Amino acid sequence: MTAVSEKTDYWNAFYAGVTRTAPRKPAQFAAFAAGEAAELAAVLELGCGNGRDAEFFGHLGFDVLATDASPEAIALCQKQSHQKTVTYACVPAHKSVETLAEFGAKHGPFCVYGRFFLHAITEEEQARLLGALEQSLPSGSLLAFEYRTTLDAQDDKAFGDHYRRFLDHAAFVATLNDGGYEVLYQ
């Protein structure tokens, strides 16, 4: 079994079984990102989970495409969605490249939002994603990523032990700077 299928199996089981225990209120990071993206019309969320942040963005009037590799997560989101401006799609990380290009062509500048997404993908998937962003992200777009760092590795986790790649924050910021991004907050 590959790391990708193991991750998908874990999240399918998670979203099939804990629909009541996963938080439904938007994350504080979503509120922060929404304020920073206020002048943009659209949000592409990578790794939407149970859709709590996507629904929040939709409530604020953003046109949202929320993606996740887990079919169970997407089915849950579609069942519980209350926002007409939010679309959910099952998109594995390795397909995010195509999704980014299509979304940018449709919307112009937009916010790419990923809360706890980067540490859930491999370094290779991250490199492909960042390369795609450098190639196809419309000027004026915003990246908003929250992720686990190497400082988080020893902490207890609310949802147990599963695949997490703890990022070296300084190295990631250097990668963004090398890619021509301006880091506004960290």
Side-chain angles (χ1 to χ4, degrees):
M1 186 177 294
T2 67
V4 172
S5 61
E6 286 176 15
K7 289 186 293 183
T8 302
D9 290 347
Y10 172 85
W11 290 113
N12 280 335
F14 179 87
Y15 287 110
V18 297
T19 58
R20 289 187 179 88
T21 59
R24 293 297 309 156
K25 292 181 180 177
Q28 284 296 112
F29 185 66
F32 171 78
E36 294 301 308
E39 294 185 18
L40 303 175
V43 174
L44 172 63
E45 182 176 4
L46 304 171
C48 67
N50 71 351
R52 69 185 186 148
D53 292 345
E55 292 292 304
F56 172 71
F57 290 126
H59 176 76
L60 294 177
F62 289 98
D63 186 12
V64 181
L65 175 58
T67 66
D68 201 287
S70 168
E72 290 288 339
I74 295 302
L76 173 67
C77 291
Q78 290 170 335
K79 179 181 173 185
Q80 296 180 353
S81 182
H82 300 290
Q83 300 301 324
K84 293 180 181 178
T85 62
V86 179
T87 302
Y88 292 98
C90 189
V91 179
H94 69 277
K95 295 283 186 183
S96 297
V97 173
E98 293 87 359
T99 304
L100 283 165
E102 292 169 12
F103 198 73
K106 179 179 177 185
H107 292 285
F110 62 95
C111 176
V112 177
Y113 176 83
R115 181 176 179 271
F116 292 178
F117 174 75
L118 290 178
H119 69 256
I121 62 175
T122 66
E123 283 187 61
E124 181 182 309
E125 290 168 325
Q126 177 183 297
R128 275 192 77 206
L129 174 67
L130 293 177
L133 289 169
E134 290 171 23
Q135 297 277 321
S136 62
L137 196 63
S139 180
S141 293
L142 175 72
L143 301 180
F145 290 124
E146 181 178 16
Y147 50 87
R148 300 276 187 193
T149 72
T150 53
L151 299 175
D152 299 313
Q154 301 305 317
D155 295 343
D156 289 334
K157 308 301 181 289
F159 291 105
D161 189 27
H162 59 86
Y163 178 86
R164 288 183 183 95
R165 178 178 59 88
F166 297 97
L167 279 69
D168 177 321
H169 177 67
F172 183 66
V173 169
T175 298
L176 292 176
N177 288 332
D178 290 347
Y181 296 102
E182 177 186 359
V183 177
L184 303 176
Y185 300 100
Q186 55 178 309

